[in-house]
Amino acid sequence: MSVIISIIAGLWLHDPLYTVYVIAGSVTAAFSVIKCKRRTCLLKAGLFISIVNIFSALTTILAKGSSTNDIGFITLMAFINGFLVSTLVSVFLPLLEYLFGLTTNISLLEWLDLNQPLMKSLLVNAPGTYHHSIITANLAEAAAEAVGVNPLEARVGAYYHDIGKMKMPEYFIENQNGIYNRHDRLTPTMSSLILIAHVKEGVELAKKHKLPKIIRDIIQQHHGTSLIKYFYQKAKDMTGSSENNIISEENFRYPGPKPQTKAAAIVMLADNVEAAARVLDNPTPARISTLVDTIVNNIFLDGQLDECDLTLKDIHNIKKKFAYILTGLHHRRVDYPGVNLLPISP
C-alpha cells in the first residue's frame, strides 16, 4: 500500500525521486514497528524515520543538482516529519484499533496488567482459578514462542480464559480447598451444565469489559467441544448399562467452537496440562513428560485441534516446552534444617 501511495505521490508531483523518498520512509516505518510492544517503540521508530528521511532528502537534492541554500530547512523538516508521524500514530492508534477491529501488541500489554479490574476480581472471588490462570499463561507463552505464535496473545488469552468461573467459583475444584464439593449433591447432568456455563459467562464478562475480540475468541474456544469425562462416566455408572439408559455424549460436551487459531489451541492445551499436573503424584521429569504426552495426544485424537493450523511439529515442540516448564515448577527441594511441618505430639 505504501509503495502504491508513493508512486501516486511521485506522479502527482511529477517527481520520481519523491517516490523514492516516500518509499524509504514508509519501509523504515513498517520494519521499525514489527515487534513493537511499547509506546516508546513508536518514538524510536520516529527517530529511525527521521534519519532515513534526512538521508533520502539530501540524496534527492544532490541527485537533482538542486540549490543547497535550503538544505538546512529541508533537513529540519525531514527530521520533524519522522517524530510528527510517530506522535500522530501514538495518539490515533486506539481510535484506529477501534474503527478497524484491530488488536496490537500495545493493546495486549495493557490487558497484561494484573491490576486490571477483571484480574483483581478473579483473585478475590476465585483465587484458585487465578493462580491456575497465571501458571497456564506461563505455559502458553513459552509454547507460543516455541512455535512462532504471538506470545502476548497467548499469555493474555490464558490470563482471562477462565474469568467465567467467577460467577460460581465454589463449583470448580481449584476453589474448593478440599473441604466440600458442591457437586456431590447434584446430578452429573446439572454439574456438567454448570461447568459448561463458565465459557458463556466468560465471553459475556469479556464483552462487558471490552476485551479484544481475539481474547474473547480464546475464552470461547479454550474447551472446544471436549467431553467432560468425569461427569459423563459418573452418569453412565449411575444409570447402568441398560439400552434404555444410554447416556448421550453431546449432553456432556462443551458447545465449542473448536480452537480456530494456534493461540487458542495452545491455551486449550496449557489449560488441560496445568490442571492435570496439579494432581500428579511424585512429579518426576519422566512422569511429567508422560502426562503431557497423554493429555495432548488425547486432545488431538478427540479432534479438538482439527480446525487450527498447528502442525505435528508444532505439537511436538509444544509438548517439549510444557514438560520443561512443568518440571521446573514441580522440582524437589531439600528439607530445611530445624523446620518440622509434622504436627507436634502432646
Side-chain angles (χ1 to χ4, degrees):
M1 180 62 73
S2 62
V3 173
I4 295 174
I5 294 175
S6 302
I7 293 173
I8 293 174
L11 293 173
W12 182 51
L13 296 173
H14 304 289
D15 188 352
L17 290 177
Y18 186 76
T19 298
V20 176
Y21 171 81
V22 176
I23 288 177
S26 301
V27 171
T28 302
F31 279 96
S32 298
V33 296
I34 286 179
K35 295 184 178 180
C36 184
K37 294 182 179 180
R38 291 179 174 82
R39 296 194 184 275
T40 53
C41 292
L42 297 176
L43 296 178
K44 292 180 181 178
L47 177 61
F48 293 143
I49 295 169
S50 295
I51 293 172
V52 171
N53 281 350
I54 292 172
F55 178 79
S56 300
L58 293 177
T59 302
T60 300
I61 292 173
L62 294 175
K64 294 170 64 176
S66 303
S67 172
T68 58
N69 294 334
D70 296 329
I71 193 169
F73 176 76
I74 293 174
T75 301
L76 178 62
M77 290 298 101
F79 183 79
I80 292 175
N81 175 263
F83 281 102
L84 181 62
V85 168
S86 64
T87 301
L88 290 174
V89 170
S90 181
V91 170
F92 289 104
L93 185 60
L95 177 62
L96 294 173
E97 288 181 333
Y98 175 78
L99 291 176
F100 295 100
L102 302 174
T103 303
T104 64
N105 284 342
I106 294 174
S107 296
L108 290 175
L109 277 171
E110 294 175 357
W111 290 106
L112 204 59
D113 185 2
L114 294 179
N115 287 316
Q116 286 280 355
L118 265 178
M119 292 304 294
K120 293 177 75 172
S121 296
L122 187 64
L123 174 60
V124 172
N125 297 312
T129 300
Y130 174 88
H131 291 290
H132 158 71
S133 298
I134 297 298
I135 303 301
T136 300
N138 292 336
L139 292 169
E141 181 180 42
E145 289 179 342
V147 297
V149 175
N150 186 350
L152 274 177
E153 180 182 348
R155 187 172 190 87
V156 175
Y159 271 179
Y160 294 93
H161 77 283
D162 270 345
I163 55 174
K165 291 183 178 180
M166 284 192 287
K167 188 77 172 181
M168 304 176 74
E170 65 277 8
Y171 284 90
F172 296 89
I173 189 67
E174 67 268 24
N175 300 310
Q176 292 174 354
N177 298 320
I179 299 174
Y180 169 66
N181 190 340
R182 290 177 178 265
H183 291 284
D184 291 341
R185 296 186 178 182
L186 299 178
T187 64
T189 301
M190 181 58 67
S191 293
S192 67
L193 289 175
I194 292 174
L195 298 189
I196 289 170
H198 89 272
V199 174
K200 180 182 177 182
E201 298 289 349
V203 173
E204 290 178 355
L205 268 176
K207 289 180 179 178
K208 179 180 178 181
H209 288 265
K210 295 181 171 54
L211 265 73
K213 185 179 184 304
I214 58 174
I215 304 304
R216 298 201 305 268
D217 289 343
I218 289 176
I219 294 172
Q220 187 175 34
Q221 299 166 16
H222 80 276
H223 279 296
T225 59
S226 58
L227 178 67
I228 305 175
K229 294 181 180 179
Y230 178 83
F231 290 113
Y232 174 64
Q233 187 60 48
K234 185 177 179 180
K236 289 175 65 177
D237 293 342
M238 290 176 63
T239 57
S241 58
S242 171
E243 292 184 1
N244 296 326
N245 296 322
I246 296 177
I247 302 298
S248 173
E249 276 194 10
E250 296 303 315
N251 295 331
F252 293 86
R253 283 190 177 273
Y254 286 92
K258 296 177 181 179
Q260 303 295 303
T261 64
K262 288 186 177 183
I266 288 171
V267 172
M268 168 188 271
L269 296 174
D271 179 31
N272 282 271
V273 166
E274 197 283 329
R278 285 179 176 268
V279 296
L280 182 64
D281 292 329
N282 188 23
T284 62
R287 288 174 64 83
I288 289 173
S289 182
T290 300
L291 173 73
V292 170
D293 279 339
T294 301
I295 296 296
V296 174
N297 289 344
N298 286 343
I299 292 173
F300 175 78
L301 293 174
D302 192 35
Q304 298 304 315
L305 306 180
D306 289 353
E307 298 178 14
C308 68
D309 295 330
L310 284 180
T311 64
L312 291 176
K313 182 178 180 181
D314 288 338
I315 294 172
H316 174 71
N317 290 333
I318 288 170
K319 289 194 290 187
K320 285 177 59 178
K321 189 60 68 172
F322 282 170
Y324 176 77
I325 298 294
L326 288 172
T327 299
L329 287 173
H330 295 279
H331 66 280
R332 294 190 61 186
R333 288 184 177 272
V334 298
D335 294 332
Y336 287 91
V339 178
N340 184 9
L341 299 180
L342 297 176
I344 300 175
S345 302

